Amino acid sequence: MDRDYYRYEDSYGRPRKKTSMFGWSIAILILTGLAFAAWLGSFYIFGQPERPESYRILKKLHKIDPTKRFELTAAPAGEFLTAKQLYDRYIALSPTELGKTNAELIRNYIRNFQSMRGLVPYVVGRFNIMDAHELTENDIFTSGMIALTNAVDHGEILMEHVYPSDPQVLPLMKQTLVAGLEVKLERTHDLSAVIHAERLPDGRILLTTMPLLYGSYTVTRGPGTFTLEPPLDLNLKAGWPLFKESARVAAEARYRERVTPVRQQGPIVAGLAPTPPPPAENALIRVEPAQSLEPPKVAVAPTPPLKPTATPKGGKLAKNKKLSATPTPAPLVVAKNPPIWNGPTKSTTAPAPVAVPPPVVAAASPVTSGPLASPPPPVTTDNSLASTAGGGTWKTFPPGKMPVGRLIQTSDLNDLADRGLAGERVYLKGNFVVNFTEPNRAVLRPKTRITDAVLHPLGGGQSVRIVVEFPAGYTPPARGTTVSRDEARPYEITEVRKQSDGQLNVFVREIMQ
């Protein structure tokens, strides 16, 4: 055995022990297990960043991208759901399915909606704030405000809307986000995504939403404007929802005590929201100035040099004729105004032909004509697109405080007519002349410095007819006056119709106070 045990010698003549294959097999198995465990651990950590431990490790490894502030035109694809649609979706899920859905919702938010499956659920509708409090380090979002709201049109939905911000704007937010304030979320300029859904013991659904635009907010009758900021860090150990059971129950009790005497309601049944209130006079809205677009440049062909008038045969000029390089001026253009409205109460007879005077090369006055200076109507929260009936009610805004949208000029209307609005909010600016008025409507045409006959192929002059609708209580401008609208006071376009002969009928509405 000694010979077998020391059968081999090393280079120094010392006996060498026999290799143990069993020991090496065990070591290899242990290393394989460690590699497999590391692979599973990385999959667990990177694949589930919504777990508090995974989020903390990824944050230390700098594998979590900062929260992105989305633009309205570059937001993740989603579906806009009302309170009833959201309730029907989440109430039908089992506890296991609801847990998987919530994990996917917060995972998509942490990843800035990259490589996600399906569509982002966005909330639309009217909500009343029941309570609001400041976010602390013990909450998931550590800075800003959280507002507990109740859906106006479907009382089975509660929503806690997160308003992350810097600490310096908290005093103004506390003055703004008060109980009873109405929050209206619209698909045209709001992107509040659902990031968590909770089924309450009484059968209601509590949603947690985050505004992905992180824009600026104000109230129609408020002290100022505050701007949101994307959260820098998340404290996922705090748990969902942000309004815990005791805080939510206390907030609902205080809200019922506040609104019940005012509305003179009967006893409130547990689990049912109070009767939907009428449109509030004070509402929270998102504001952002319209972005001006640079008008497209139109190439103008150079004017060919003028040739002198040819001399008649024989070298003699006709009597009373002189050689001149100046062409004979065009005769005065006589234009017939087409019918401007075919309503049942207005005559469609065209007025008598009117001679168009030579154009006056002078700058258009930026001052709006006197009739537009009438006092604004009461502010309402109905911000739906106006129809062509006129005299409706919708939300109006101070100059420069309208919702975000695209600002165009009359030269861009042809392109807009070809592709349509496509759900986008579009504003119109320019100088216009009033052709016709009635109690809640006015018909305008663009004001130009050259004749309409030259502008007709370019989409100006008589080829564009702008029908303006005014809210109830507004006085339209008088016929023949000039109306100037700039970036701070544009019209909102609701529809563009192009006729077979190239005529553009542009329907807009007045949204300025």
Side-chain angles (χ1 to χ4, degrees), residues 102-287:
N102 285 329
E104 185 176 3
L105 290 174
I106 187 60
R107 184 186 310 137
N108 292 335
Y109 175 74
I110 294 175
R111 292 176 175 174
N112 288 319
F113 302 94
Q114 300 294 324
S115 303
M116 58 169 292
R117 297 178 299 176
L119 301 174
V120 179
Y122 296 117
V123 183
V124 293
R126 293 169 55 199
F127 298 84
N128 283 331
I129 295 181
M130 296 190 292
D131 192 18
H133 65 74
E134 179 182 351
L135 295 172
T136 64
E137 295 182 354
N138 298 324
D139 295 308
I140 296 179
F141 305 95
T142 58
S143 179
M145 294 281 291
I146 177 70
L148 179 65
T149 66
N150 180 227
V152 173
D153 55 351
H154 196 77
E156 298 296 316
I157 283 289
L158 298 179
M159 180 184 70
E160 48 182 17
H161 201 279
V162 187
Y163 295 92
S165 67
D166 292 335
Q168 56 267 23
V169 301
L170 285 176
L172 179 59
M173 296 179 68
K174 292 179 181 179
Q175 299 178 24
T176 304
L177 302 176
V178 296
L181 182 68
E182 181 175 293
V183 179
K184 188 170 184 180
L185 304 177
E186 296 179 328
R187 64 180 301 167
T188 53
H189 56 276
D190 288 300
L191 293 178
S192 293
V194 178
I195 57 177
H196 185 79
E198 186 89 4
R199 183 184 289 110
L200 301 180
D202 55 9
R204 291 180 296 171
I205 297 295
L206 174 61
L207 303 176
T208 305
T209 59
M210 174 66 71
L212 301 185
L213 301 180
Y214 303 102
S216 299
Y217 289 82
T218 187
V219 292
T220 52
R221 300 181 181 179
T225 302
F226 61 87
T227 302
L228 305 184
E229 296 294 337
L232 300 178
D233 196 10
L234 302 181
N235 179 23
L236 296 178
K237 289 185 178 180
W240 303 90
L242 278 72
F243 265 89
K244 306 306 179 185
E245 180 71 17
S246 58
R248 179 184 57 80
V249 172
E252 289 187 273
R254 290 192 299 268
Y255 183 72
R256 283 195 293 264
E257 292 176 358
R258 177 179 178 276
V259 301
T260 301
V262 176
R263 299 179 189 167
Q264 300 180 355
Q265 296 177 340
I268 298 179
V269 181
L272 295 180
T275 304
E281 295 183 356
N282 203 17
L284 184 70
I285 56 175
R286 195 176 72 86
V287 294

Side-chain angles (χ1 to χ4, degrees), residues 51 72 146 200 211 283 314 344 375 399 407 418 423 454 462 491:
R51 297 181 178 272
L72 185 63
I146 177 70
L200 301 180
L407 186 67
D418 295 336
V454 176
Q462 296 295 336
Y491 289 125

Side-chain angles (χ1 to χ4, degrees), residues 469-490:
E469 300 176 53
F470 296 92
Y474 271 67
T475 302
R479 182 175 181 178
T481 56
T482 299
V483 178
S484 297
R485 289 305 175 102
D486 54 9
E487 293 82 357
R489 296 179 58 84

Side-chain angles (χ1 to χ4, degrees), residues 376-377 396-402 474 485 488-490 510-513:
T396 56
F397 307 93
K401 299 297 184 179
M402 58 281 188
Y474 271 67
R485 289 305 175 102
R489 296 179 58 84
E510 173 67 84
I511 60 171
M512 293 292 106
Q513 294 180 3

Side-chain angles (χ1 to χ4, degrees), residues 373-394:
S374 58
V379 178
T380 64
T381 57
D382 183 11
N383 201 23
S384 58
L385 286 180
S387 65
T388 57
T393 56
W394 51 81

Side-chain angles (χ1 to χ4, degrees), residues 73 79 84 289 362 497:
T73 56
E79 51 184 340
K84 185 179 186 307
R497 302 176 187 173

